[in-house]
Amino acid sequence: MTIATKIEEAGFKPASRIAAIGVSKILQIGARAAAMKREGLPVIILGAGEPDFDTPDNVKAAAKAAIDRGETKYTALDGTPELKKAIAEKFRRENGVDYSLDEITVATGAKQILFNAFMASVNPGDEVIIPTPYWTSYSDIVEICGGVPVLIPCDADAGFRLKAEQLEKAITDKTRWVLLNSPSNPSGAAYSEADYRPLLDVLLKHPHVWLMVDDMYEHIVYDGFKFVTPVAIAPKLKDRTLTINGVSKAYAMTGWRIGYAGGPKALIKAMAVIQSQATSCPSSVSQAASVEALNGPQGFLKERQASFKHRRDLVVSGLNAIDGLDCRTPEGAFYTFAGCGGLIGKTTPAGKVIETDADFTDYLLEVAHVAVVPGSAFGLSPYFRISYATSEAELTEALKRIAEACGKLT
């Protein structure tokens, strides 16, 4: 009997660190919807977390020029000096925060930044406070790194935002990090300076707790909302705050895979150790493109922001016109997170009772051929997320189908 045969008969046994973790529900729904489309069904997929715009031409040109110059080799481990300088200038120009180059790290997407930070700092049993709803990867990455996610529900009545009293109550001697995301995926909720201050006051009282902020949707805000990052409000927290951002959303560069962060030198150095044994440096060409994205013309950001706002208003008004649904108007990002509690307990034409938000989203996919993501995937029910980063025509048709499907429930 060969070794290969013995292994096959024994079966694969996953490591305990991933035993309770599965593939993202968002990806599962997307794969199912894509399969239905291949079968010829007119499925509209509203689950993608990426802009439908193209990467700006000047950014693509910068990448091509870098290739022509032969910049296709390994770079410095956690970012080229040129990109780190562009990031430092971005933090100064847009956020009013100063980071030296050794306080900046660059990785293959913001997800790797999160992984590097938690792997470098979290010991088994350490707690990470995460308000819900939250981006699905947050808690899974914490668990893979040996930490314990402490999930704090923040519903629509609270604006999907964490309150100071909730934070104070959740902090223990095991708390290592608090993770905040503004504007939020999946809710689109954002923290103003007034929203942040009470939370930062709590953190100032607990010096053992560090703050991680995900600012990825910084440039996608509406109605005059003024974005602010916590370190700009509370400079005393800079020595225990990691500020995460990237080029994926604002510059429509999801496939280029560049995320970055600013933080204390010791943490940045420890994160580099993790990256050195995982991916090493990010793509050289993507880094050259990101330099141009950050340093180049920024005027198109307002144009795209206006387009997203128009679509946001279309979706919010359309959902709120449907009996049983309730959709808060988000301050930013390109998602709505609507409540479907008014439909729980109703029955489909096929006789199935809608018992959960996942039942409702399954129903929409099967009957209306519209793919959306249940709130349970983001840690808060009964809600569902729509990504409106698609055409107005598709959104209008999707809303029509959702309304018709909801009207068939009894």
Side-chain angles (χ1 to χ4, degrees):
M1 183 181 293
T2 66
I3 293 177
T5 302
K6 289 181 180 179
I7 292 174
E8 183 177 341
E9 289 184 354
F12 171 71
K13 183 178 180 181
S16 58
R17 72 176 66 90
I18 66 166
I21 298 173
V23 174
S24 164
K25 183 71 172 177
I26 302 171
L27 296 179
Q28 292 179 41
I29 292 171
R32 182 179 168 195
M36 292 172 68
K37 290 192 77 168
R38 288 194 295 271
E39 293 170 3
L41 296 172
V43 178
I44 297 175
I45 302 176
L46 302 180
E50 63 180 351
D52 57 333
F53 297 108
D54 194 11
T55 302
D57 288 341
N58 63 305
V59 176
K60 291 190 287 185
K64 294 172 186 175
I67 294 172
D68 291 339
R69 291 193 301 269
E71 295 179 14
T72 57
K73 308 297 184 183
Y74 293 130
T75 72
L77 171 61
D78 64 347
T80 63
E82 293 78 14
L83 181 51
K84 286 193 174 187
K85 288 177 184 176
I87 292 167
E89 176 55 30
K90 179 263 182 249
F91 276 127
R92 281 192 292 270
R93 179 181 70 242
E94 298 181 348
N95 306 118
V97 179
D98 286 320
Y99 286 111
S100 59
L101 299 195
D102 55 3
E103 293 178 313
I104 292 172
T105 184
V106 183
T108 307
K111 187 178 288 189
Q112 188 182 19
I113 296 285
L114 289 159
F115 183 85
N116 289 350
F118 286 132
M119 185 62 76
S121 64
V122 170
N123 289 313
D126 284 353
E127 296 174 349
V128 178
I129 295 173
I130 306 173
T132 72
Y134 61 93
W135 182 42
T136 55
S137 291
Y138 289 158
S139 64
D140 287 347
I141 292 174
V142 169
E143 290 189 37
I144 288 173
C145 295
V148 178
V150 178
L151 306 180
I152 311 297
C154 305
D155 62 17
D157 290 340
F160 297 121
R161 287 185 287 261
L162 182 68
K163 301 303 180 185
E165 55 269 25
Q166 292 177 294
L167 176 58
E168 184 72 66
K169 185 177 180 180
I171 291 174
T172 71
D173 58 359
K174 295 182 179 180
T175 304
R176 187 69 179 86
W177 289 95
V178 174
L179 174 53
L180 301 176
N181 175 209
S182 173
S184 161
N185 174 8
S187 71
Y191 290 82
S192 66
E193 180 174 346
D195 295 320
Y196 266 137
R197 280 198 179 278
L199 298 174
L200 304 182
D201 287 342
V202 171
L203 292 175
L204 286 168
K205 295 190 298 182
H206 297 277
H208 71 290
V209 180
W210 284 46
L211 173 63
M212 191 179 298
V213 291
D214 181 349
D215 291 347
M216 184 61 71
Y217 294 90
E218 169 184 2
H219 288 292
I220 308 174
V221 293
Y222 314 113
D223 305 322
F225 181 88
K226 185 177 181 181
F227 175 86
V228 63
T229 200
V231 170
I233 306 170
K236 290 181 179 179
L237 288 174
K238 184 183 177 186
D239 289 341
R240 49 187 169 109
T241 298
L242 184 69
T243 303
I244 303 171
N245 212 316
V247 297
S248 295
K249 312 301 181 179
Y251 302 96
M253 295 175 67
T254 52
W256 298 77
R257 307 309 304 129
I258 294 292
Y260 60 83
K265 294 178 185 179
L267 172 61
I268 297 300
K269 184 177 180 179
M271 290 169 64
V273 172
I274 303 300
Q275 185 155 305
S276 73
Q277 302 302 338
T279 59
S280 293
C281 65
S283 160
S284 59
V285 175
S286 294
Q287 290 187 75
S290 298
V291 171
E292 175 61 23
L294 295 175
N295 288 345
Q298 306 292 307
F300 70 94
L301 293 172
K302 291 293 184 183
E303 298 171 9
R304 295 184 177 186
Q305 184 184 82
S307 177
F308 280 134
K309 179 185 183 301
H310 179 73
R311 290 182 250 178
R312 178 204 67 172
D313 294 343
L314 173 69
V315 174
V316 170
S317 62
L319 291 175
N320 282 327
I322 300 172
D323 287 342
L325 300 184
D326 182 21
C327 186
R328 177 184 180 274
T329 301
E331 290 86 9
F334 40 70
Y335 310 103
T336 58
F337 201 65
C340 56
L343 300 178
I344 301 300
K346 293 202 172 187
T347 304
T348 72
K352 177 177 173 57
V353 176
I354 303 292
E355 297 180 347
T356 65
D357 50 20
D359 289 341
F360 176 64
T361 58
D362 286 344
Y363 169 68
L364 290 184
L365 182 56
E366 294 299 328
V367 174
H369 296 150
V370 176
V372 298
V373 186
S376 55
F378 306 103
L380 193 68
S381 297
Y383 296 89
F384 65 99
R385 189 192 79 170
I386 283 179
S387 168
Y388 50 85
T390 189
S391 71
E392 184 177 338
E394 278 210 324
L395 293 172
T396 300
E397 175 62 21
L399 289 166
K400 176 184 175 184
R401 294 186 195 179
I402 292 172
E404 291 174 351
C406 290
K408 294 177 182 178
L409 297 172
T410 59

